[in-house]
Amino acid sequence: MNVEPERKFGVVVVGVGKAGSVRIRDLRDPHASSAYLNLIGFVSRRELQSIDEVQQISLEDALSSQEVEVAYICSESSSHEGYVRQFLNAGKHVLVEYPMTLSRAAAQELWELAEQKGKILHEEHVELLMEEFAFLKKEVVGKDLLKGSLLFTAGPLEEERFGFPAFSSISRLTWLVSLFGELSLVSATLEERKEDQYMKMTVCLETENKRPLTWTEEKGPGLKRNRYLSFHFKSGSLENVPNVGINKNIFLKDQNIFVQKLLGQFSEKELAAEKKRILHCLGLAEEIQKHCRPEK
């Protein structure tokens, strides 16, 4: 990939929060995959004019410009679906930060639209590119799970902007599904104290072999970002992940995967398996939401 590519895809980044800023940095640095991409500008609701010499452009211009062939959607989760739809309709390839949508049906629809338009639709899952996940994947291989639990704690997150907790935290669900296969929902509860910005979601899942997995998501002021896990196998237990090193350039690794897709280097089989997993996780998240909020 060190040869200067014959063709570069023009890219626009939509949303310049934490993820968007990292995307802009990666696009501007001389990486192997960035050589195939040409950053044209960014779209933001705020009036920023430019960031590090990268120009702000209007959404209308981004959609209509022939130069823009790719959109990175890095805005708040609640706006992902709308942006993805607009850019696919405008004939652009799309990379979107997870969750792609806040319902399974919407994701299915967007994928059909992407296929219709002959475009790549890629949902970022940097949690699968982390050192901890690589360690876990190696650890659980060939082992017979008896039961497991995963607890994640963090500061508060606004549901209006980021979606119901099962969606905003879908990366945890993705870990469990990627490690243990498709899961089914047994029960889900949500304890909330809005005035304290506190919430705790407890989800009981089971594997296809009927092994129980508990996923707990707890968020509130003063709670540190932490992950606690415990998996019990017939052959022994795994309690938490040892310090396996720093996650370097996970967004860049995700961009590399996206560029491989743009260049047609992924097999249909790989793409289909990934899509199946993403839709399965979105479907579970939606089911969890219905259990916790039956009125909606």
mmCIF file of all heavy atoms in Angstrom, residues 230-253:
data_model
loop_
_atom_site.group_PDB
_atom_site.id
_atom_site.type_symbol
_atom_site.label_atom_id
_atom_site.label_comp_id
_atom_site.label_asym_id
_atom_site.label_seq_id
_atom_site.Cartn_x
_atom_site.Cartn_y
_atom_site.Cartn_z
ATOM 1 N N SER A 230 -16.224 -11.304 34.042
ATOM 2 C CA SER A 230 -15.958 -12.590 34.666
ATOM 3 C C SER A 230 -16.619 -13.662 33.809
ATOM 4 O O SER A 230 -17.834 -13.619 33.591
ATOM 5 C CB SER A 230 -16.533 -12.526 36.079
ATOM 6 O OG SER A 230 -16.986 -13.778 36.468
ATOM 7 N N PHE A 231 -15.794 -14.566 33.280
ATOM 8 C CA PHE A 231 -16.317 -15.652 32.459
ATOM 9 C C PHE A 231 -15.894 -16.979 33.089
ATOM 10 O O PHE A 231 -14.711 -17.185 33.364
ATOM 11 C CB PHE A 231 -15.788 -15.573 31.017
ATOM 12 C CG PHE A 231 -16.207 -14.328 30.285
ATOM 13 C CD1 PHE A 231 -15.287 -13.580 29.549
ATOM 14 C CD2 PHE A 231 -17.526 -13.875 30.317
ATOM 15 C CE1 PHE A 231 -15.665 -12.422 28.877
ATOM 16 C CE2 PHE A 231 -17.921 -12.722 29.649
ATOM 17 C CZ PHE A 231 -16.987 -11.990 28.925
ATOM 18 N N HIS A 232 -16.868 -17.845 33.318
ATOM 19 C CA HIS A 232 -16.561 -19.155 33.895
ATOM 20 C C HIS A 232 -16.710 -20.227 32.830
ATOM 21 O O HIS A 232 -17.752 -20.325 32.189
ATOM 22 C CB HIS A 232 -17.491 -19.448 35.080
ATOM 23 C CG HIS A 232 -17.287 -18.497 36.203
ATOM 24 N ND1 HIS A 232 -16.332 -18.691 37.176
ATOM 25 C CD2 HIS A 232 -17.879 -17.313 36.476
ATOM 26 C CE1 HIS A 232 -16.353 -17.672 38.018
ATOM 27 N NE2 HIS A 232 -17.275 -16.814 37.612
ATOM 28 N N PHE A 233 -15.649 -20.997 32.648
ATOM 29 C CA PHE A 233 -15.648 -22.075 31.652
ATOM 30 C C PHE A 233 -15.522 -23.396 32.384
ATOM 31 O O PHE A 233 -15.134 -23.428 33.554
ATOM 32 C CB PHE A 233 -14.460 -21.905 30.693
ATOM 33 C CG PHE A 233 -14.417 -20.570 30.018
ATOM 34 C CD1 PHE A 233 -13.595 -19.554 30.505
ATOM 35 C CD2 PHE A 233 -15.200 -20.299 28.894
ATOM 36 C CE1 PHE A 233 -13.560 -18.311 29.887
ATOM 37 C CE2 PHE A 233 -15.169 -19.066 28.277
ATOM 38 C CZ PHE A 233 -14.351 -18.073 28.773
ATOM 39 N N LYS A 234 -15.779 -24.477 31.666
ATOM 40 C CA LYS A 234 -15.586 -25.807 32.269
ATOM 41 C C LYS A 234 -14.133 -25.963 32.707
ATOM 42 O O LYS A 234 -13.838 -26.628 33.684
ATOM 43 C CB LYS A 234 -15.942 -26.904 31.257
ATOM 44 C CG LYS A 234 -17.426 -27.209 31.263
ATOM 45 C CD LYS A 234 -17.756 -28.452 30.447
ATOM 46 C CE LYS A 234 -19.243 -28.779 30.539
ATOM 47 N NZ LYS A 234 -19.705 -29.558 29.405
ATOM 48 N N SER A 235 -13.238 -25.323 31.955
ATOM 49 C CA SER A 235 -11.810 -25.525 32.223
ATOM 50 C C SER A 235 -11.196 -24.450 33.114
ATOM 51 O O SER A 235 -9.983 -24.373 33.254
ATOM 52 C CB SER A 235 -11.068 -25.535 30.886
ATOM 53 O OG SER A 235 -11.345 -24.325 30.183
ATOM 54 N N GLY A 236 -12.022 -23.602 33.721
ATOM 55 C CA GLY A 236 -11.453 -22.553 34.581
ATOM 56 C C GLY A 236 -12.145 -21.221 34.369
ATOM 57 O O GLY A 236 -13.102 -21.123 33.609
ATOM 58 N N SER A 237 -11.638 -20.184 35.047
ATOM 59 C CA SER A 237 -12.308 -18.888 35.005
ATOM 60 C C SER A 237 -11.397 -17.784 34.501
ATOM 61 O O SER A 237 -10.180 -17.864 34.628
ATOM 62 C CB SER A 237 -12.772 -18.492 36.398
ATOM 63 O OG SER A 237 -13.739 -19.401 36.831
ATOM 64 N N LEU A 238 -12.030 -16.759 33.992
ATOM 65 C CA LEU A 238 -11.305 -15.569 33.568
ATOM 66 C C LEU A 238 -11.944 -14.385 34.278
ATOM 67 O O LEU A 238 -13.129 -14.098 34.091
ATOM 68 C CB LEU A 238 -11.421 -15.408 32.045
ATOM 69 C CG LEU A 238 -10.793 -14.157 31.438
ATOM 70 C CD1 LEU A 238 -9.286 -14.181 31.610
ATOM 71 C CD2 LEU A 238 -11.122 -14.064 29.947
ATOM 72 N N GLU A 239 -11.176 -13.738 35.134
ATOM 73 C CA GLU A 239 -11.691 -12.573 35.858
ATOM 74 C C GLU A 239 -10.900 -11.353 35.378
ATOM 75 O O GLU A 239 -9.714 -11.237 35.660
ATOM 76 C CB GLU A 239 -11.486 -12.738 37.378
ATOM 77 C CG GLU A 239 -12.127 -13.975 37.960
ATOM 78 C CD GLU A 239 -13.619 -13.806 38.230
ATOM 79 O OE1 GLU A 239 -14.099 -12.660 38.235
ATOM 80 O OE2 GLU A 239 -14.292 -14.841 38.425
ATOM 81 N N ASN A 240 -11.570 -10.477 34.674
ATOM 82 C CA ASN A 240 -10.950 -9.256 34.185
ATOM 83 C C ASN A 240 -9.744 -9.494 33.281
ATOM 84 O O ASN A 240 -9.122 -10.541 33.297
ATOM 85 C CB ASN A 240 -10.608 -8.306 35.326
ATOM 86 C CG ASN A 240 -11.881 -7.831 35.986
ATOM 87 O OD1 ASN A 240 -12.852 -7.531 35.301
ATOM 88 N ND2 ASN A 240 -11.909 -7.792 37.301
ATOM 89 N N VAL A 241 -9.452 -8.470 32.511
ATOM 90 C CA VAL A 241 -8.397 -8.577 31.509
ATOM 91 C C VAL A 241 -7.135 -7.974 32.085
ATOM 92 O O VAL A 241 -7.166 -6.872 32.624
ATOM 93 C CB VAL A 241 -8.820 -7.797 30.234
ATOM 94 C CG1 VAL A 241 -7.746 -7.871 29.166
ATOM 95 C CG2 VAL A 241 -10.132 -8.333 29.696
ATOM 96 N N PRO A 242 -6.017 -8.677 31.983
ATOM 97 C CA PRO A 242 -4.775 -8.074 32.471
ATOM 98 C C PRO A 242 -4.440 -6.843 31.624
ATOM 99 O O PRO A 242 -5.048 -6.625 30.579
ATOM 100 C CB PRO A 242 -3.740 -9.180 32.246
ATOM 101 C CG PRO A 242 -4.324 -10.053 31.205
ATOM 102 C CD PRO A 242 -5.804 -9.983 31.373
ATOM 103 N N ASN A 243 -3.502 -6.054 32.069
ATOM 104 C CA ASN A 243 -3.129 -4.874 31.305
ATOM 105 C C ASN A 243 -2.400 -5.326 30.038
ATOM 106 O O ASN A 243 -1.268 -5.789 30.104
ATOM 107 C CB ASN A 243 -2.225 -3.989 32.172
ATOM 108 C CG ASN A 243 -2.112 -2.609 31.580
ATOM 109 O OD1 ASN A 243 -2.383 -2.417 30.385
ATOM 110 N ND2 ASN A 243 -1.719 -1.653 32.384
ATOM 111 N N VAL A 244 -3.080 -5.216 28.903
ATOM 112 C CA VAL A 244 -2.497 -5.783 27.677
ATOM 113 C C VAL A 244 -1.929 -4.711 26.746
ATOM 114 O O VAL A 244 -1.737 -4.933 25.575
ATOM 115 C CB VAL A 244 -3.537 -6.642 26.903
ATOM 116 C CG1 VAL A 244 -3.695 -7.982 27.579
ATOM 117 C CG2 VAL A 244 -4.878 -5.948 26.779
ATOM 118 N N GLY A 245 -1.679 -3.543 27.309
ATOM 119 C CA GLY A 245 -1.075 -2.493 26.477
ATOM 120 C C GLY A 245 -2.104 -1.485 26.007
ATOM 121 O O GLY A 245 -3.302 -1.653 26.190
ATOM 122 N N ILE A 246 -1.599 -0.429 25.414
ATOM 123 C CA ILE A 246 -2.440 0.708 25.010
ATOM 124 C C ILE A 246 -3.079 0.435 23.664
ATOM 125 O O ILE A 246 -2.470 -0.159 22.781
ATOM 126 C CB ILE A 246 -1.571 1.991 24.937
ATOM 127 C CG1 ILE A 246 -0.869 2.225 26.289
ATOM 128 C CG2 ILE A 246 -2.408 3.214 24.581
ATOM 129 C CD1 ILE A 246 0.391 3.037 26.204
ATOM 130 N N ASN A 247 -4.327 0.884 23.518
ATOM 131 C CA ASN A 247 -5.000 0.772 22.221
ATOM 132 C C ASN A 247 -4.487 1.879 21.315
ATOM 133 O O ASN A 247 -4.869 3.029 21.470
ATOM 134 C CB ASN A 247 -6.506 0.920 22.403
ATOM 135 C CG ASN A 247 -7.075 -0.257 23.165
ATOM 136 O OD1 ASN A 247 -6.840 -1.399 22.805
ATOM 137 N ND2 ASN A 247 -7.800 0.018 24.227
ATOM 138 N N LYS A 248 -3.623 1.507 20.402
ATOM 139 C CA LYS A 248 -3.048 2.525 19.523
ATOM 140 C C LYS A 248 -3.829 2.622 18.224
ATOM 141 O O LYS A 248 -4.128 1.612 17.595
ATOM 142 C CB LYS A 248 -1.573 2.199 19.224
ATOM 143 C CG LYS A 248 -0.641 2.623 20.353
ATOM 144 C CD LYS A 248 0.718 3.104 19.854
ATOM 145 C CE LYS A 248 1.580 1.957 19.354
ATOM 146 N NZ LYS A 248 2.305 1.268 20.417
ATOM 147 N N ASN A 249 -4.184 3.850 17.853
ATOM 148 C CA ASN A 249 -4.775 4.111 16.524
ATOM 149 C C ASN A 249 -5.951 3.219 16.159
ATOM 150 O O ASN A 249 -6.036 2.732 15.038
ATOM 151 C CB ASN A 249 -3.697 3.931 15.438
ATOM 152 C CG ASN A 249 -2.585 4.937 15.600
ATOM 153 O OD1 ASN A 249 -2.798 6.002 16.164
ATOM 154 N ND2 ASN A 249 -1.406 4.611 15.119
ATOM 155 N N ILE A 250 -6.898 3.033 17.096
ATOM 156 C CA ILE A 250 -8.006 2.137 16.756
ATOM 157 C C ILE A 250 -8.909 2.727 15.670
ATOM 158 O O ILE A 250 -9.440 2.005 14.843
ATOM 159 C CB ILE A 250 -8.823 1.672 17.988
ATOM 160 C CG1 ILE A 250 -9.150 2.826 18.918
ATOM 161 C CG2 ILE A 250 -8.109 0.563 18.725
ATOM 162 C CD1 ILE A 250 -9.965 2.417 20.139
ATOM 163 N N PHE A 251 -9.057 4.050 15.655
ATOM 164 C CA PHE A 251 -9.885 4.658 14.607
ATOM 165 C C PHE A 251 -9.205 4.536 13.245
ATOM 166 O O PHE A 251 -9.848 4.347 12.223
ATOM 167 C CB PHE A 251 -10.211 6.120 14.925
ATOM 168 C CG PHE A 251 -11.306 6.261 15.942
ATOM 169 C CD1 PHE A 251 -11.018 6.342 17.302
ATOM 170 C CD2 PHE A 251 -12.649 6.270 15.552
ATOM 171 C CE1 PHE A 251 -12.032 6.444 18.241
ATOM 172 C CE2 PHE A 251 -13.671 6.374 16.490
ATOM 173 C CZ PHE A 251 -13.361 6.457 17.839
ATOM 174 N N LEU A 252 -7.880 4.617 13.261
ATOM 175 C CA LEU A 252 -7.122 4.444 12.018
ATOM 176 C C LEU A 252 -7.263 3.005 11.508
ATOM 177 O O LEU A 252 -7.437 2.770 10.308
ATOM 178 C CB LEU A 252 -5.650 4.790 12.253
ATOM 179 C CG LEU A 252 -4.739 4.636 11.031
ATOM 180 C CD1 LEU A 252 -5.175 5.564 9.904
ATOM 181 C CD2 LEU A 252 -3.301 4.927 11.409
ATOM 182 N N LYS A 253 -7.227 2.039 12.429
ATOM 183 C CA LYS A 253 -7.401 0.631 12.026
ATOM 184 C C LYS A 253 -8.784 0.439 11.398
ATOM 185 O O LYS A 253 -8.944 -0.313 10.442
ATOM 186 C CB LYS A 253 -7.238 -0.294 13.239
ATOM 187 C CG LYS A 253 -5.785 -0.415 13.693
ATOM 188 C CD LYS A 253 -5.673 -1.214 14.974
ATOM 189 C CE LYS A 253 -4.218 -1.258 15.445
ATOM 190 N NZ LYS A 253 -4.105 -1.708 16.845
#
